[in-house]
């Protein structure tokens, strides 16, 4: 009986699997290295270094990592500004509230200095703001000098799978559609996901990402005849079996399909299990605080979607209701050989008027009129921040940061950047434009 239904006798307690299986890290595990504290990232990278001989990366995961890396770095950098802003606001609110509520006690308690109490509280918050501001200054500029990316590149040198060709992708898409309709895992929870990637001349729709990844893992295990351990923060029900709110283990369908097609075993764990179990095997220990941090980051970022915005999406730009058709229209008009690539620009606007939804629409129209582009999107990192004005631009009261992502022939990037500055400064009243990255 056990031999016929092996997936229902799943054994995840065997420590030998960490020495005998290939370890595959999901995209969210690689991206979380940017979200963890410096100490936790270094500890996890050290564990990966010790288990280096057992690592392998499907092409789909490597692609998603590179496409999402910049967004995650920017999320981390801009979080400092958000925290500072919240603390400043709360500091003013607390000061105002205390002055109002404690004001009547000024004369009743001659031995207590109410103003001193308020000043001490305010000083404590100001001290926290200063510490955060210093941490922001000390935060590594990973867009320019990314030691995490460098380490990941070293760990997976010659250990990344090949991409599927167009014919294979079409077969997978058809099979995925059938499975999604019947809710056969994995990937069906992404059936409504919009958007697409473009790589090596191939269009890869976002909704098929998990199923492509699954097929690449199966193909690798079949070819190498190896068991696979998949480490993921994904918590969707098309990967995990849940009962009464508790995660029991991998979906039995996944275990069955993997074994049926490869003759090998598939294991799936959360990162904290990997750190504990593999850590014991490779003599790399993790503190309770570190494990707690990993769980917290997992909870917040477990299903980090591809092309997630740096902040609030203010101008989603698609030319039709069907993303696939929009992308095809763009490719027909602007694809020249193998030169197409995605350009992403971080833009600082200094202005003396509030940034509004009406202005967002105006910016969309400006980009529409710049040549050599079709598909683009704009994300807002921050808006209407009090400007750190220089002596030369005393009229600029606000700062707004935007990210523009656009598909272009790789010879047109500099031209597009110049046209953005020219168009914005000529059409947006009293505005200075700076391309940061």
């Amino acid at each position: 009986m056990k031999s016929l239904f092996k997936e229902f006798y799943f054994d995840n307690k065997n420590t030998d699997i960490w020495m005998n299986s290939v370890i595959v890290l999901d995209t969210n595990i690689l991206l979380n290295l940017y979200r963890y504290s410096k100490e936790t990232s270094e500890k996890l990278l050290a564990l990966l270094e010790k288990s280096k001989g057992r690592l392998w990366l499907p092409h789909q995961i490597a692609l998603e990592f590179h496409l999402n890396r910049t967004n995650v770095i920017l999320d981390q950098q801009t979080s400092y500004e958000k925290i500072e802003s919240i603390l400043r606001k709360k500091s003013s609110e607390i000061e105002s509230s205390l002055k109002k509520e404690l004001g009547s006690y000024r004369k009743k308690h001659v031995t207590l200095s109410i103003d001193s109490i308020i000043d001490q509280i305010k000083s404590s918050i100001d001290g926290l703001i200063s510490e955060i501001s210093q941490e922001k200054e000390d935060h590594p500029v990973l867009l320019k000098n990314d030691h995490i990316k460098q380490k990941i590149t070293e760990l997976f040198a010659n250990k990344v799978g090949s991409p599927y060709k167009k014919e294979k992708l079409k077969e997978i898409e058809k099979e995925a559609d059938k499975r999604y309709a019947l809710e056969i895992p994995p990937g069906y929870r992404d059936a409504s996901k919009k958007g697409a990637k473009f790589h090596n001349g191939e269009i890869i729709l976002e909704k098929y990402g998990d199923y492509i990844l699954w097929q690449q893992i199966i193909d690798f295990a079949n070819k190498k005849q190896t068991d696979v351990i998949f480490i993921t923060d994904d918590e969707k029900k098309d990967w995990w079996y849940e009962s009464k709110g508790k995660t029991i283990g991998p979906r039995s369908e996944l275990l069955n399909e993997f074994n049926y097609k490869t003759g090998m075993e598939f294991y799936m764990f959360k990162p904290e299990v990997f750190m504990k179990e593999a850590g014991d095997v490779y003599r790399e220990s993790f503190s309770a605080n570190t494990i707690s941090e990993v769980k917290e980051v997992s909870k917040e970022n477990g299903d980090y979607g591809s092309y997630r915005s740096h902040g609030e999406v203010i101008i989603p730009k698609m030319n039709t209701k069907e993303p696939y058709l929009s992308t095809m229209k763009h490719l027909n008009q602007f694809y020249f050989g193998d030169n197409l690539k995605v350009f992403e620009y971080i833009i600082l606007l200094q202005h003396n008027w509030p940034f509004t939804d009406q202005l967002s629409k105006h910016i969309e129209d400006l980009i529409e009129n710049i040549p050599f582009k079709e598909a683009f999107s704009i994300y807002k990192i921050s808006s209407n921040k009090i400007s750190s004005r220089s002596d030369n631009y005393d009229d600029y009261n606000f700062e707004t940061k935007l990210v523009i992502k656009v598909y272009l022939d790789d010879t047109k990037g500099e031209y597009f950047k110049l046209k953005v500055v020219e168009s914005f400064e000529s059409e947006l009243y009293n505005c200075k434009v700076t391309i940061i990255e």
Side-chain angles (χ1 to χ4, degrees):
M1 186 171 179
K2 183 177 180 180
S3 63
L4 293 175
F5 301 98
K6 294 177 67 174
E7 65 272 21
F8 295 101
Y9 296 84
F10 179 66
D11 179 15
N12 61 358
K13 302 298 183 182
N14 183 5
T15 57
D16 290 342
I17 65 174
W18 299 103
M19 298 296 293
N20 302 321
S21 306
V22 169
I23 299 171
V24 175
L25 305 179
D26 201 358
T27 309
N28 43 46
I29 304 299
L30 297 177
L31 292 175
N32 281 348
L33 288 167
Y34 293 95
R35 299 185 179 106
Y36 297 145
S37 64
K38 180 181 178 181
E39 293 75 17
T40 297
S41 288
E42 289 178 351
K43 289 282 288 182
L44 183 52
L45 285 170
L47 175 57
L48 292 175
E49 178 64 37
K50 290 182 178 180
S51 54
K52 183 176 180 179
R54 312 223 59 82
L55 297 179
W56 179 75
L57 204 61
H59 184 272
Q60 181 69 17
I61 290 177
L63 176 61
E64 290 177 355
F65 165 73
H66 284 94
L67 289 176
N68 285 288
R69 168 186 154 271
T70 301
N71 293 355
V72 175
I73 291 173
L74 288 172
D75 277 345
Q76 296 306 104
Q77 290 178 338
T78 56
S79 66
Y80 287 109
E81 296 177 1
K82 294 176 183 176
I83 294 172
E84 282 184 68
S85 176
I86 291 171
L87 284 175
R88 285 196 178 93
K89 180 181 178 182
K90 291 300 179 183
S91 177
S92 297
E93 291 176 358
I94 290 171
E95 181 181 12
S96 176
S97 176
L98 288 176
K99 283 182 177 179
K100 180 179 179 180
E101 295 184 32
L102 298 180
S104 60
Y105 292 93
R106 280 191 172 91
K107 296 180 180 179
K108 295 179 181 179
H109 292 274
V110 294
T111 58
L112 287 177
S113 173
I114 301 301
D115 289 335
S116 177
I117 293 173
I118 295 173
D119 287 342
Q120 288 181 52
I121 294 172
K122 188 175 184 300
S123 178
S124 296
I125 298 176
D126 289 343
L128 287 173
I129 294 173
S130 295
E131 289 179 17
I132 293 168
S133 180
Q134 185 60 51
E135 284 189 29
K136 180 175 67 175
E137 293 297 321
D138 296 339
H139 189 77
V141 186
L142 293 175
L143 288 177
K144 295 181 179 179
N145 184 20
D146 189 350
H147 65 280
I148 294 177
K149 179 185 176 184
Q150 181 180 349
K151 185 61 180 178
I152 290 173
T153 301
E154 293 171 0
L155 286 170
F156 291 98
N158 302 316
K159 295 180 180 180
V160 179
S162 300
Y164 286 140
K165 300 296 183 182
K166 183 177 296 185
E167 295 75 17
K168 179 66 173 179
L169 285 173
K170 292 300 179 187
E171 291 177 10
I172 287 175
E173 289 175 4
K174 289 181 181 179
E175 181 64 22
D177 287 337
K178 294 178 183 177
R179 293 170 64 120
Y180 288 6
L182 298 171
E183 295 192 351
I184 299 174
Y188 69 81
R189 300 279 290 192
D190 293 334
S192 62
K193 184 180 283 188
K194 304 298 182 183
K197 299 179 182 69
F198 181 79
H199 186 71
N200 289 342
E202 303 298 341
I203 299 169
I204 306 170
L205 299 188
E206 296 288 350
K207 65 179 180 178
Y208 299 125
D210 277 7
Y211 188 60
I212 292 172
L213 157 65
W214 177 240
Q215 288 303 310
Q216 289 176 346
I217 292 176
I218 287 177
D219 288 349
F220 174 81
N222 205 21
K223 181 179 179 180
K224 299 294 184 179
Q225 281 298 285
T226 180
D227 296 339
V228 169
I229 299 174
F230 185 46
I231 310 299
T232 181
D233 263 335
D234 199 330
E235 296 186 344
K236 295 197 297 291
K237 293 180 181 179
D238 55 352
W239 284 99
W240 297 97
Y241 172 65
E242 293 184 1
S243 178
K244 297 181 179 179
K246 293 185 177 181
T247 300
I248 307 301
R251 290 282 295 261
S252 60
E253 297 95 324
L254 300 178
L255 303 177
N256 174 268
E257 181 178 10
F258 189 91
N259 181 257
Y260 178 76
K261 289 183 175 179
T262 69
M264 308 307 295
E265 301 298 331
F266 177 76
Y267 303 91
M268 189 165 71
F269 299 102
K270 296 294 181 67
E272 59 268 24
V273 177
F274 169 59
M275 295 165 79
K276 182 180 183 302
E277 299 296 335
D280 289 344
V281 171
Y282 293 102
R283 297 182 181 178
E284 190 71 39
S285 61
F286 294 86
S287 68
N289 287 339
T290 298
I291 297 298
S292 179
E293 177 190 348
V294 169
K295 288 181 178 179
E296 188 63 30
V297 171
S298 298
K299 190 183 300 182
E300 293 178 3
N301 302 285
D303 187 23
Y304 187 89
S306 297
Y307 289 103
R308 177 178 171 178
S309 67
H310 312 316
E312 172 191 0
V313 178
I314 56 170
I315 308 174
K317 174 70 176 72
M318 296 301 283
N319 296 314
T320 71
K321 293 182 179 180
E322 181 55 56
Y324 180 80
L325 296 178
S326 174
T327 306
M328 285 303 296
K329 180 182 179 217
H330 155 63
L331 295 179
N332 289 338
Q333 188 172 357
F334 296 102
Y335 180 53
F336 306 101
D338 294 323
N339 294 327
L340 189 73
K341 65 182 290 187
V342 178
F343 287 86
E344 189 168 80
Y345 301 109
I346 306 173
I347 297 176
L348 172 66
L349 302 180
Q350 292 174 288
H351 48 93
N352 66 351
W353 27 256
F355 193 90
T356 62
D357 292 340
Q358 184 177 3
L359 179 59
S360 297
K361 181 64 174 67
H362 184 39
I363 289 176
E364 177 185 4
D365 293 339
L366 289 179
I367 299 178
E368 282 279 8
N369 294 322
I370 297 175
F372 306 117
K373 60 92 213 44
E374 176 74 15
F376 70 86
S377 58
I378 301 179
Y379 307 119
K380 180 173 64 177
I381 299 177
S382 61
S383 65
N384 297 327
K385 181 183 174 184
I386 300 302
S387 177
S388 53
R389 295 173 292 175
S390 67
D391 293 338
N392 296 326
Y393 301 103
D394 287 340
D395 290 335
Y396 302 124
N397 300 314
F398 303 104
E399 290 181 353
T400 294
K401 286 183 182 179
L402 305 173
V403 172
I404 296 180
K405 182 179 290 187
V406 61
Y407 290 85
L408 292 171
D409 180 279
D410 64 9
T411 64
K412 304 298 192 298
E414 288 302 312
Y415 177 83
F416 178 79
K417 186 161 60 173
L418 291 172
K419 293 298 291 183
V420 165
V421 175
E422 178 185 309
S423 298
F424 281 24
E425 290 193 339
S426 64
E427 296 294 332
L428 301 179
Y429 175 70
N430 203 359
C431 175
K432 176 176 171 56
V433 181
T434 306
I435 306 291
I436 300 177
E437 185 74 25

